[in-house]
Amino acid sequence: MQTLRIGDTWLVGLPGELFVEYALEIKRRADEPVFLASLVGGEIQGYVVTAEAIEAGGYEATNSLFSHEGGPILVDAALESMKRS
């Protein structure tokens, strides 16, 4: 995960292919504007799905390498990184 502040705007790069709900959660909880990109940082590839997606099934949920618990962990880590910078 990477966070970079330029002026009052944040650029956040997260590994894997996150469901949009996680990006929207970061934007909602951030104090300043945020631009997010997924599939950043190399080797951690795969879907980071929501609990709702797992319940519904479908391609991403059945092929995800990660538990739905990983999304909130990435959200919290990104926000914490932004606070420390």
Side-chain angles (χ1 to χ4, degrees):
M1 181 194 55
Q2 302 156 4
T3 56
L4 173 66
R5 184 178 181 171
I6 301 174
D8 68 346
T9 302
W10 287 94
L11 304 176
V12 176
L14 297 167
E17 192 169 342
L18 273 73
F19 270 37
V20 69
E21 290 86 350
Y22 297 124
L24 293 174
E25 179 69 10
I26 292 171
K27 287 183 168 206
R28 185 185 69 76
R29 290 174 50 191
D31 295 331
E32 298 171 308
V34 179
F35 290 94
L36 290 113
S38 62
L39 297 170
V40 174
E43 298 301 319
I44 301 178
Q45 305 304 324
Y47 299 108
V48 182
V49 298
T50 62
E52 295 79 13
I54 290 175
E55 289 177 23
Y59 177 81
E60 293 92 348
T62 59
N63 288 291
S64 177
L65 301 174
F66 307 104
S67 160
H68 70 278
E69 296 165 342
I73 291 170
L74 288 172
V75 168
D76 290 342
L79 292 164
E80 183 61 33
S81 178
M82 291 163 61
K83 286 180 188 174
R84 284 183 285 153
S85 298

